[in-house]
Amino acid sequence: MRILLINSEYPPIGGGAGNATANLAREFASMGEDVTVLTTSFDGFPKKTWVEAVENCGYTLQRAPSLRRKKEKSGAMEQGLFVLGSSWESLQIARRWKPDVTLAFFGVPSGPAGLLLKVFHGVPCVVSLRGGDVPGFRPYDFALYHRLIAPLVKFIWKKADAVVANSTGLKALANTFEPDSAIRIIPNGVNVKQFASIAEADRSWQPPKMLFAGRVVYQKGLDVVLHALGSLAHLEWDLTIAGDGPYKPFLQSLAVEQGIMDRVHFTGWLDKDAMLEQYRQANVFVFASRHEGMPNAVLEAMASGLPVVASRIAGNEELVVPGETGFLVPGEDVTALRSALEKILEDANLRQRMGLAARQRVETQFTWRAVAESYRQLFMDILKS
């Protein structure tokens, strides 16, 4: 089967959706499928290259023209240019290598290219919803954008052969926007092998060392975390924030205000090896995000053998089992978060027990191979119908 994956994000560009694209491409290729990934051009990266997935097995990575300026985010104009660039490039790909199916990450901006292939070449199109492309997600950031693209979103979902959400919460949000849309659920996964050596290492569980990984933006609720930690200065702990973004100066000022700046460390963006080292050094993962689809960062933390203290929102509540692999607290609730953090910071044995359970949970339920097999079966069902 020839599978074309379209996504404006692909490592090191973007976040969880780019990570999902790379991992699914690897898994599809290792299953013997013929795979091409179409993503955005960036910073002089080659237009076309070969990516080795496993020994003697890989996929083609091709980049569409765009003007993306930053790894971690893109604006409406950059997204619009990717719509145009990916649409043109996908048609060129189809002329020399006709895909059997297209998987478009984000209804917008990748969906239009997928639908063009369906119209002009009869290629079935599956749309994978990731969060930011669903009206109602992060209204404090995307309300105007979603109003503008709403008609296009409805059209793409209606014409696609299948629409997939990565969590029950995201599906519910999508159906609030478009009740008649039949949306399937295929969760995110994690490369458990990549984190095996970290999970199996002789981790130090004392003193408490907390970690957050991701974009440093309002969405991630780091202000709630710092407010909670400001009242826990009597306990031993430190917090590493691995990532970067426009919210960093505000958080630094807040840490100073709370009197904990000497215990909060901002690393900026880290490469893969450096990020793995952060997972190895930590013994608690904190993730008080306001909105998510299904966060890769939480999956990676669990695969690393870390207990997770997280907000009770879509995505998080499908990963974290309260009292078993960590704690879930109501979003925006500083008091509840403070109580959960206090409990886990005071008990090294609890951290260790929950970390082991977290690793076991992702090993059995959230591997990228299982996710790829679910998508592959969906593709086969569509091609047979």
Side-chain angles (χ1 to χ4, degrees):
M1 182 166 29
R2 294 183 298 278
I3 305 171
L4 174 63
L5 288 76
I6 306 176
N7 191 353
S8 60
E9 299 185 357
Y10 180 90
I13 301 166
N19 181 57
T21 301
N23 279 286
L24 285 175
R26 183 195 67 245
E27 294 296 339
F28 289 145
S30 68
M31 293 175 180
E33 309 298 350
D34 191 358
V35 180
T36 292
V37 175
L38 177 60
T39 188
T40 186
S41 61
F42 182 77
D43 196 29
F45 290 168
K47 180 177 179 180
K48 188 174 182 180
T49 189
W50 175 258
V51 179
E52 187 167 352
V54 293
E55 188 175 358
N56 298 320
C57 176
Y59 56 91
T60 299
L61 176 64
Q62 191 156 334
R63 298 184 182 276
S66 74
L67 291 177
R68 179 130 183 175
R69 297 178 180 88
K70 296 182 179 181
K71 290 181 181 180
E72 69 274 13
K73 66 176 183 177
S74 62
M77 182 177 293
E78 293 164 312
Q79 294 283 297
L81 288 172
F82 181 75
V83 170
L84 297 176
S86 62
S87 295
W88 169 259
E89 205 66 43
S90 64
L91 290 173
Q92 308 313 304
I93 291 172
R95 287 173 183 168
R96 62 179 181 271
W97 178 82
K98 184 178 179 180
D100 294 306
V101 65
T102 298
L103 176 58
F105 287 81
F106 300 103
V108 176
S110 302
L115 288 189
L116 276 178
L117 293 188
K118 180 175 181 179
V119 170
F120 289 104
H121 294 276
V123 181
C125 176
V126 175
V127 172
S128 176
L129 306 180
R130 312 306 298 179
D133 55 332
V134 179
F137 188 87
R138 288 169 55 183
Y140 41 83
D141 288 330
F142 295 150
L144 176 59
Y145 173 68
H146 284 153
R147 283 199 296 271
L148 293 174
I149 69 169
L152 179 59
V153 169
K154 287 187 177 184
F155 178 77
I156 289 170
W157 291 8
K158 181 179 180 180
K159 296 299 182 181
D161 293 271
V163 179
V164 177
N166 59 16
S167 69
T168 56
L170 190 60
K171 174 183 177 180
L173 182 64
N175 280 141
T176 298
F177 168 71
E178 185 54 49
D180 296 332
S181 185
I183 298 173
R184 306 163 190 253
I185 298 174
I186 299 178
N188 277 350
V190 65
N191 185 349
V192 293
K193 292 181 181 178
Q194 182 181 12
F195 297 91
S197 62
I198 301 172
E200 295 165 1
D202 187 15
R203 185 187 303 274
S204 175
W205 293 99
Q206 188 72 353
K209 298 180 73 67
M210 289 179 285
L211 174 66
F212 163 87
R215 293 184 176 101
V216 183
V217 293
Y218 175 78
Q219 172 202 355
K220 299 301 182 179
L222 286 164
D223 54 315
V224 182
V225 174
L226 295 185
H227 277 295
L229 290 175
S231 300
L232 297 176
H234 61 286
L235 297 178
E236 186 178 17
W237 57 263
D238 65 29
L239 168 66
T240 295
I241 296 175
D244 211 341
Y247 213 47
K248 180 178 175 180
F250 170 77
L251 293 174
Q252 289 174 321
S253 297
L254 181 58
V256 171
E257 177 186 308
Q258 295 292 315
I260 56 175
M261 186 60 190
D262 59 327
R263 302 164 77 172
V264 180
H265 315 291
F266 293 85
T267 68
W269 289 113
L270 300 175
D271 62 24
K272 182 175 68 176
D273 291 339
M275 194 63 242
L276 289 173
E277 179 61 18
Q278 290 296 333
Y279 282 125
R280 188 190 67 79
Q281 292 181 9
N283 51 43
V284 179
F285 193 77
V286 59
F287 199 79
S289 189
R290 292 177 163 95
H291 289 89
E292 294 291 336
M294 178 169 280
N296 283 286
V298 171
L299 283 162
E300 291 179 355
M302 293 173 68
S304 300
L306 296 179
V308 178
V309 179
S311 48
R312 188 183 293 275
I313 60 170
N316 288 349
E317 59 188 1
E318 292 171 62
L319 298 176
V320 180
V321 180
E324 181 179 328
T325 68
F327 295 107
L328 289 173
V329 301
E332 308 278 1
D333 192 330
V334 174
T335 301
L337 180 59
R338 181 189 304 124
S339 177
L341 287 173
E342 185 172 27
K343 186 177 296 185
I344 204 165
L345 292 174
E346 288 182 329
D347 193 337
N349 290 331
L350 178 65
R351 293 196 293 275
Q352 185 173 14
R353 184 170 69 251
M354 286 183 164
L356 177 61
R359 170 69 186 186
Q360 292 173 338
R361 179 165 169 77
V362 295
E363 283 182 327
T364 56
Q365 298 188 41
F366 295 100
T367 66
W368 279 119
R369 175 51 66 103
V371 175
E373 287 174 346
S374 294
Y375 271 109
R376 186 171 180 263
Q377 186 60 57
L378 173 59
F379 300 158
M380 294 171 65
D381 292 343
I382 291 171
L383 291 171
K384 290 176 183 176
S385 63

